[in-house]
Amino acid sequence: MQLVEGLLLGYAGRWGEPRSVAAVVARRDGRLVPADPLARVADPPGGGQPALFTPVVAESSLRDVVDGYADQVARLAALPEPGRLRLLAAAESAGALVAAEMGYEGLPWRVEVHRGLLADMLGAPSLVGGPPARLVELSARIAAVFGLRALRPERPAEVLRAFALAGITVPSTRSWVLRGVDHPAVPLLLDFKERYRIWTAHGWSWIDAWVRGGRFRPEYVPGGVVSGRWATRGGGALQIPRVIRRAVVADPGWKLVVADAGQLEPRILAAISGDQRLAAAGAAGDLYAALATEAFGGDRAKAKVALLGAMYGQTGGAALPALAVLRRSYPVAWEFVEAAARTGEAGGLVRSWLGRTCPPAAADAPDLLGSGPDGPASPGGPDSNSATARSRARGRFTRNFVVQATAAEWALTLLATLRTSLGGMQARLVFFQHDEVVVHCPADEAPAVTAAITAAGRQASQLLFGATRVRFPTHTQVVDCYADATH
């Protein structure tokens, strides 16, 4: 009910208003709408004593739930075109159910494998709680390269100061920035960043806090990002590094069926824009290769840069020549994202294919779509706080929102239909991340699970887009270890 209320409020241009069950009923009755309770931070598996001043929120009655649900059904039916948002409400609700089930089932996790990986990457843990041996060693080597007695590489200010002493001005210590710097400390710094991230995000303390009974059980947050993508409350389930995936191993006699939708967002753009040439380009398989052959002289890298640049708003610099080719060759798709950008720049609202509405301009932030810690930097420069810069940033946001939010809808619809098709099997959904699904099943069920995933992908495409020419292939692999799945 809370997820659907958020969808309805956003559709009505009231994004961010309270959406609890109590708020739904109070809004229907014309009473003062209570504020939502504060979001709870997940307790690590195993529980523990709650915080002393954690507020206790009274549960809504069954009558409130029944009345609130009836009100939401009536509001959905009263919309000018209720079908799409009703499908989104169903997919969002099914996603919430799957999230709860996956948290209960847990992802198979071999603690002994994980500890072995940590020993190889980090060396011996500190006896006093400090960095492990390998990080201490790297810190000393980095300091020596800079000619310093000591340096803490995890502190950006110290790294920037070290570069400045070496006569090099570096705007930040992000990995993509460092790769462009010519200095012998750079390879060591990049190595340190990767190992440090493993230690802090998935180290020994993480194992103790999040794994029990051979399972990792995070708390998923459906719709935790404004585009509809999921988030988690603790545990870092949606950012498991490839090296740590070695610890995700199927039970004896069981398999992991790993499926991902290749090049999902570009294919989504083809479907929602109605660009028939772009749809035809991806019909044979590799969309970027097809684009390259048709419009970029066979250069797949340029084709990929152009298409991603069009969706993410990179409209200048090295991407400019490739974007010009894309604009000439696929004008319908180009105009679709341009129109979304213009709406955003003007302060307007855009919607996904099924009707998820973006937040208003005042609520925007650079990371609203869920970019990672080393993702593209937010717009900067002398006029980064000017109205023009804010307007352009808003345009980049809405340009990508219409694509990414629709991609999230396709993935949720696949997840919902797959859950239904697994009924009667021992197979269990255990992981979902944007466009990737992992099912844990007995070995003899793997062929049926693989077929169910393929069918769910087709059904999701049919439900969202009808008889579209766009193809959404799902790449499915049956493995014993999650890290063995290639993407």
Side-chain angles (χ1 to χ4, degrees):
M1 286 186 65
Q2 292 175 12
L3 289 167
V4 172
E5 189 68 9
L7 295 174
L8 286 165
L9 289 170
Y11 194 89
R14 298 162 62 185
W15 191 89
E17 291 188 19
R19 58 195 184 104
S20 67
V21 174
V24 174
V25 177
R27 191 174 286 118
R28 185 203 66 168
D29 295 342
R31 295 183 282 107
L32 180 66
V33 177
D36 286 339
L38 295 175
R40 180 180 66 82
V41 177
D43 298 320
Q49 183 172 315
L52 182 61
F53 298 107
T54 300
V56 177
V57 181
E59 294 184 0
S60 299
S61 68
L62 178 59
R63 174 50 55 191
D64 286 341
V65 174
V66 172
D67 290 348
Y69 173 74
D71 178 65
Q72 289 182 337
V73 169
R75 288 155 64 195
L76 281 167
L79 294 175
E81 295 182 59
R84 289 188 179 181
L85 198 64
R86 202 155 49 200
L87 175 58
L88 176 56
E92 191 92 328
S93 300
L97 179 57
V98 171
E101 292 175 340
M102 289 198 305
Y104 174 80
E105 292 291 340
L107 188 63
W109 204 277
R110 296 285 184 86
V111 170
E112 71 279 7
V113 174
H114 191 164
R115 291 189 182 278
L117 292 169
L118 295 178
D120 290 341
M121 290 192 68
L122 303 175
S126 170
L127 298 178
V128 294
R134 181 63 173 150
L135 292 183
V136 173
E137 175 196 342
L138 276 171
S139 298
R141 291 176 61 191
I142 293 167
V145 169
F146 279 114
L148 302 173
R149 293 180 59 186
L151 176 68
R152 289 169 290 187
E154 70 274 18
R155 299 197 175 188
E158 293 193 21
V159 176
L160 294 178
R161 191 178 307 117
F163 274 116
L165 291 173
I168 300 174
T169 300
V170 180
S172 78
T173 60
R174 290 175 176 266
S175 296
W176 65 272
V177 173
L178 291 178
R179 290 189 186 100
V181 178
D182 183 15
H183 190 278
V186 168
L188 296 174
L189 283 167
L190 293 174
D191 188 16
F192 181 92
K193 285 170 70 72
E194 182 63 27
R195 296 173 193 270
Y196 185 82
R197 185 178 294 116
I198 296 294
W199 175 53
T200 56
H202 291 91
W204 294 278
S205 60
W206 182 92
I207 296 174
D208 294 338
W210 291 100
V211 181
R212 74 181 191 278
R215 294 291 187 270
F216 167 41
R217 294 183 175 87
E219 182 176 350
Y220 295 96
V221 184
V225 180
V226 297
S227 64
R229 283 185 166 187
W230 287 15
T232 60
R233 292 193 182 99
L238 303 183
Q239 294 179 331
I240 303 175
R242 175 166 291 278
V243 64
I244 298 299
R245 293 182 183 187
R246 281 278 156 210
V248 183
V249 180
D251 291 343
W254 287 53
K255 296 288 184 179
L256 297 172
V257 183
V258 182
D260 69 285
Q263 303 166 351
L264 178 59
E265 290 190 4
R267 296 175 189 278
I268 289 291
L269 173 58
I272 61 181
S273 67
D275 193 313
Q276 295 303 309
R277 290 190 65 189
L278 186 59
D286 187 334
L287 177 59
Y288 299 133
L291 291 180
T293 300
E294 183 173 336
F296 291 88
D299 192 328
R300 186 182 184 278
K302 283 188 178 179
K304 183 175 182 178
V305 165
L307 196 49
L308 295 181
M311 290 188 296
Y312 286 91
Q314 185 180 359
T315 56
L320 192 58
L323 288 170
V325 176
L326 184 73
R327 185 174 188 173
R328 290 194 304 269
S329 301
Y330 308 100
V332 177
W334 177 271
E335 175 54 29
F336 185 88
V337 291
E338 282 289 294
R342 289 194 298 269
T343 299
E345 289 178 5
L349 301 178
V350 297
R351 305 189 200 279
S352 67
W353 183 254
L354 294 184
R356 188 185 301 274
T357 307
C358 74
D364 273 358
D367 201 37
L368 277 177
L369 291 176
S371 59
D374 277 332
S378 57
D383 65 338
S384 60
N385 292 321
S386 69
T388 300
R390 289 195 300 272
S391 174
R392 289 176 178 171
R394 169 75 176 173
R396 284 189 290 272
F397 171 80
T398 52
R399 171 194 294 270
N400 185 234
F401 180 92
V402 294
V403 178
Q404 189 181 110
T406 305
E409 292 166 355
W410 183 92
L412 272 178
T413 306
L414 176 145
L415 197 65
T417 55
L418 175 61
R419 178 186 179 277
T420 301
S421 65
L422 295 181
M425 300 186 193
Q426 295 184 67
R428 294 291 183 267
L429 277 158
V430 293
F431 187 71
F432 171 59
Q433 175 181 266
H434 308 324
D435 57 1
E436 183 176 77
V437 174
V438 179
V439 177
H440 189 218
C441 67
D444 60 358
E445 288 186 357
V449 171
T450 299
I453 292 172
T454 301
R458 293 198 191 101
Q459 189 174 357
S461 304
Q462 175 68 30
L463 284 170
L464 262 69
F465 306 118
T468 178
R469 293 180 63 190
V470 183
R471 296 293 173 262
F472 295 90
T474 50
H475 178 50
T476 306
Q477 302 166 81
V478 180
V479 296
D480 294 309
C481 175
Y482 185 24
D484 291 337
T486 58
H487 300 286

